Amino acid sequence: MTYLKVHTIRLNEEPRIYCKSDNDTITAWNSTIAKHELYDPLKEHLVVFALNTKMEITDWNLVSVGTLSQTLCNPLEVFRPLVVAGANSFILMHNHPSGDTTPSGADHSVTKLMQDA
């Protein structure tokens, strides 16, 4: 028996956002994730943005919602929606509910895990 799983991605319904700088990624977050009905600023949210060759966000996927100080991440859950979306590149980002943007040890570990994948 064959089982199929459909992985949902959200098409960016706003005008296309080009992500060519840090400020662009903040704009992307604020215009998509922060406005989403399920967004809780008191929890970490890990999101992957799919980009085309022009560095436009074409789709995004909420990978996980965590706690006040951490969220889970698995390469399969990050890369699967990117393959489905036909992404040329991607941006993986998450919020820090504390407001302190200093990367944690876990942030460095996840970055290394994604680089290795």
Side-chain angles (χ1 to χ4, degrees):
M1 180 175 278
T2 302
Y3 294 96
L4 298 175
K5 178 180 178 183
V6 176
H7 197 78
T8 303
I9 54 176
R10 286 138 186 98
L11 295 176
N12 185 17
E13 297 171 1
E14 299 290 323
R16 293 288 171 99
I17 299 169
Y18 290 87
C19 287
K20 297 181 178 181
S21 70
D22 292 344
N23 286 336
D24 291 345
T25 59
I26 293 168
T27 298
W29 182 278
N30 290 334
S31 66
T32 55
I33 310 311
K35 288 183 176 180
H36 195 272
E37 60 200 33
L38 298 177
Y39 179 68
D40 180 353
L42 298 178
K43 295 180 180 177
E44 280 199 9
H45 293 66
L46 181 69
V47 174
V48 63
F49 289 104
L51 305 175
N52 64 18
T53 57
K54 297 178 182 178
M55 298 299 287
E56 290 177 289
I57 294 176
T58 56
D59 309 290
W60 63 271
N61 185 63
L62 176 63
V63 176
S64 70
V65 177
T67 64
L68 179 64
S69 61
Q70 64 182 355
T71 189
L72 298 174
C73 182
N74 180 304
L76 177 62
E77 293 167 347
V78 171
F79 291 109
R80 183 183 312 204
L82 295 170
V83 171
V84 170
N88 178 68
S89 57
F90 68 96
I91 296 171
L92 183 65
M93 61 190 301
H94 73 281
N95 62 320
H96 283 198
S98 67
D100 180 5
T101 59
T102 305
S104 67
D107 292 342
H108 290 293
S109 296
V110 167
T111 300
K112 175 81 168 97
L113 179 67
M114 292 301 120
Q115 287 174 334
D116 291 347

